[in-house]
Amino acid sequence: MKRFVPLLLSLLLFVGCNREMDVFELTNWEFEYQDQWYPATVPGCIHTDLIAQGLIPDPFYGTNEDSVQWVSQRPWKYRTTITRDMWEGYEHCDLILDGVTLCDVRIYGEALGAPFQHLLMSPDNMFRTHRVCLFESLIDSGILPDPDEDIVIEITFYPIEQNNEVHFANETSAGDGCPEPDMDYNLPDHRAMTRMAPYMLGWDWGPKLSTVGILGGARLECHNGDEVEAPLPKPRSWNVTLRQEQDSIGQSFTFYRNGKPIFVKGANWIPVHSFPVLDSANRARYLHLLISAKEAHFNMLRIWGGGIYEPDYFYDLCDSLGIMVWQDFNFSCALYPSDSAFLNNVKAEAEEQVRRIAQHPCVVLWCGNNEVKNGWEDWGWQAQYQWTPEQIATLQHGIDTLFGPDGILAQAVKQYDPLKRPYVTSSPLFGWGHPECVTHGDSHYWGVWWGEQPFEMYKEKTGRFMSEYGFQSYPDYSTVCRYCPEDQRYIDSPVMKSHQKHGRGLEIIDKAMRQYYGVDSRSLSLEDFCYVSQLLQAWGTGYGILCHLQAQPHCMGTLYWQLNDCWPVASWSSIDCYGNWKALHYRARDLFSDTVDLSRWERYYRTYPRNLRLPKARYDLSQRIEKGRLVVDVKAASNLRDVMLQTSPHVDGHFDMNYFDLAAGQSLRACFIPADPKVDLSHVTVTFKCLNQVLNP
């Protein structure tokens, strides 16, 4: 572009040569709605900004998720002002944006007395840091801000539907997928087309709340001289390695620490909230969840590939707590474009994320994706989309280019992880319909749940490393009451259906509840149903954990699906979105203990709950405040099964002992641990429920 001498002279009027770098966090933003500008929070997103201004209802309440779908179907504008005192005295000013995608970023101001606007960049990947040099960009365009004027940065975000229409408009009639650029065939899932968190577009445990905004923050970096990127220090090593060795069974999948095999215990991790902004509320969620994982004797979490790359705050906590991290790259359950633009975008994403995350010693494994190989081999895509042999070969080449052992992601790990930690191409190695799923590599066993098989199949289908399996439950009734109006508190009400994202979820739970507990879910009150569903989840998933523990060294790891929720919902989680421990988390804590008596648990699982002879519940319960803590004593006058203690009015948190059994004459003391340690517990009453009361009312 032509450069103008007068503009260069103007630049010299307000730049110096002696100042060091300054970083200005750009937090004073506003957004536009119906021709009016409102205050915006950055880091943040459009949904939380609309909620804060009272312009939309809470999407988590009732069926409000449906009523706010219009938010993700229209463009949104954000703007902020950069004042001259920020850049004055500097040669370079860089605008940096994190957590943005599908947008245009423009600068507005006055140049030589005339107004101007200039396109700075069009970010297309929320997993990359986007940077532009303001002065250089403007000078190359023949313009420069007037030294006496402020400048305005405006961002226009576009909906994902519009992105697909613009970039993939050649969609054919085969199936309901999305066509790859410049190709005459479709890909299975539109989530693959845009580098944004896939779970935002809905999952079988999460709402469809695709949002936009500056989720990671915005800042101005002003400096003199060229920036030199300092080499990152080499992180300390935990001396953890993965061995995948051929043996008489198949192929092992065993982690070793300091040369000794480790049995891995933990769960899968999804984003802590539907709107993944690192604000104070989400920081509290991270802390509570990770401490809860540590309290349940976890030694690993698997970061699932359909969410986000977690912030450094998460990995810092894992470093300090000694929790190993299995890190999926952000690809899940789909096939992806293989054009050069997409692959170059992903290459930059992978290199940036590996450089950042690799500084944390907690990371022990990189994995290319979640279930892409499984989907490619087992989910019928070839028949559904009627790909030709040539198209199949092209798609396979794309999979190898992106995920293969010498592909883009593997190369990023080799080049930018200073500890050269291992990379595996996909999880699982074989889907649960293949006999190899129990002999080779890691396994996602979904015959229980998706296949509606009995829990006893866990013993037969224990693989070398169980990286996904599980069973749903509903959250605590207290959580249900926070999203469900009183007149909707029955199991198949519109609101309850909207917070059950699996199409057969209620049916599968009901079938297993009748088999193991001998009750029809529709014969129970909603409160009792939530309680028994959690007992059922703890029973079934706990049995899976037991089978995996007993199968050592054939099996050397168990990561159930899933630890946490991103909103209040029926799901596979062991901790609900408000931080309340479900029965499963207590069961996992018991089974993951280093002192667990497996023979005791084997005896426990010999009798179905439906076959228990439970007497009428008789007990004494007392409570008191002791050194600021709420302490409860329970003494059983009859045998008690699955005692659940709760607070009334409800306080988020958990008892250190809960969902326990007591024989007649036994006593137990439990202490309540609130999620907020500052909460006043002096007016809280502890309530009691046990299975005796449900099966023998």
Side-chain angles (χ1 to χ4, degrees), residues 242-546:
L242 172 67
R243 297 183 190 176
Q244 301 178 85
E245 300 171 328
Q246 299 299 318
D247 56 24
S248 61
I249 302 170
Q251 179 179 305
S252 67
F253 197 99
T254 304
F255 288 90
Y256 285 74
R257 185 165 192 172
N258 297 323
K260 297 181 179 179
I262 310 167
F263 188 88
V264 168
K265 300 175 286 188
N268 287 261
W269 174 280
I270 67 167
V272 299
H273 200 275
S274 291
F275 308 126
V277 178
L278 190 60
D279 55 16
S280 59
N282 280 340
R283 284 178 182 270
R285 291 184 177 97
Y286 279 112
L287 183 61
H288 175 71
L289 287 167
L290 290 172
I291 289 176
S292 295
K294 188 68 175 179
E295 288 178 350
H297 313 294
F298 284 27
N299 59 19
M300 181 180 283
L301 288 167
R302 173 180 176 243
I303 311 305
W304 170 70
I308 62 173
Y309 299 101
E310 292 296 338
D312 285 321
Y313 182 69
F314 167 86
Y315 301 102
D316 287 339
L317 289 172
C318 290
D319 289 342
S320 65
L321 291 169
I323 298 175
M324 296 181 289
V325 170
W326 164 327
Q327 178 69 58
D328 279 5
F329 284 93
N330 214 275
F331 302 89
S332 183
C333 302
L335 296 180
Y336 293 84
S338 57
D339 60 289
S340 59
F342 183 87
L343 294 178
N344 287 335
N345 194 0
V346 167
K347 181 175 183 291
E349 167 193 323
E351 291 174 353
E352 177 181 339
Q353 293 296 343
V354 170
R355 282 177 60 88
R356 178 180 69 89
I357 297 171
Q359 298 310 303
H360 296 275
C362 63
V363 177
V364 297
L365 179 67
W366 303 93
C367 178
N369 65 72
N370 173 77
E371 297 185 353
V372 170
K373 179 178 183 288
N374 189 187
W376 175 244
E377 294 176 344
D378 303 326
W379 295 354
W381 288 337
Q382 288 89 339
Q384 180 180 355
Y385 297 104
Q386 301 176 3
W387 295 318
T388 66
E390 293 77 16
Q391 290 169 342
I392 290 174
T394 300
L395 287 165
Q396 181 65 65
H397 178 72
I399 292 172
D400 295 340
T401 300
L402 188 54
F403 304 117
D406 295 312
I408 289 172
L409 303 182
Q411 290 301 320
V413 171
K414 290 176 183 177
Q415 186 172 357
Y416 294 103
D417 182 349
L419 297 180
K420 309 300 181 186
R421 283 162 283 201
Y423 169 85
V424 296
T425 59
S426 187
S427 178
L429 186 58
F430 289 97
W432 59 270
H434 296 259
E436 294 91 343
C437 79
V438 297
T439 59
H440 289 70
D442 76 305
S443 176
H444 295 190
Y445 186 66
W446 287 110
V448 175
W449 184 260
W450 280 97
E452 300 186 31
Q453 296 171 347
F455 297 136
E456 285 74 12
M457 288 297 291
Y458 281 133
K459 182 174 286 292
E460 182 179 335
K461 296 294 186 179
T462 293
R464 313 304 300 273
F465 188 104
M466 303 303 296
S467 50
E468 273 193 29
Y469 64 96
F471 198 87
Q472 265 198 7
S473 74
Y474 280 69
D476 282 351
Y477 184 66
S478 61
T479 293
V480 171
C481 292
R482 290 162 79 163
Y483 69 75
C484 186
E486 188 171 358
D487 64 354
Q488 293 279 302
R489 291 175 192 165
Y490 53 97
I491 191 58
D492 54 358
S493 72
V495 169
M496 293 301 296
K497 286 181 177 179
S498 75
H499 289 255
Q500 165 58 275
K501 293 300 183 182
H502 190 282
R504 294 184 288 119
L506 178 57
E507 173 188 333
I508 295 171
I509 291 173
D510 180 70
K511 177 182 177 180
M513 192 175 289
R514 282 185 276 110
Q515 179 176 355
Y516 292 93
Y517 282 80
V519 296
D520 184 334
S521 64
R522 297 180 188 279
S523 69
L524 301 176
S525 67
L526 181 58
E527 182 176 1
D528 283 350
F529 170 76
C530 291
Y531 164 68
V532 178
S533 78
Q534 289 195 27
L535 301 184
L536 177 66
Q537 180 193 36
W539 173 276
T541 307
Y543 182 71
I545 294 173
L546 176 64

Side-chain angles (χ1 to χ4, degrees), residues 131-147:
R131 176 189 296 262
V132 65
C133 303
L134 290 182
F135 293 159
E136 287 84 343
S137 177
L138 292 172
I139 291 171
D140 286 346
S141 302
I143 54 178
L144 189 75
D146 187 311

Side-chain angles (χ1 to χ4, degrees), residues 212-224:
V212 296
I214 310 172
L215 282 84
R219 62 190 183 275
L220 201 65
E221 290 186 359
C222 298
H223 56 96
N224 292 316

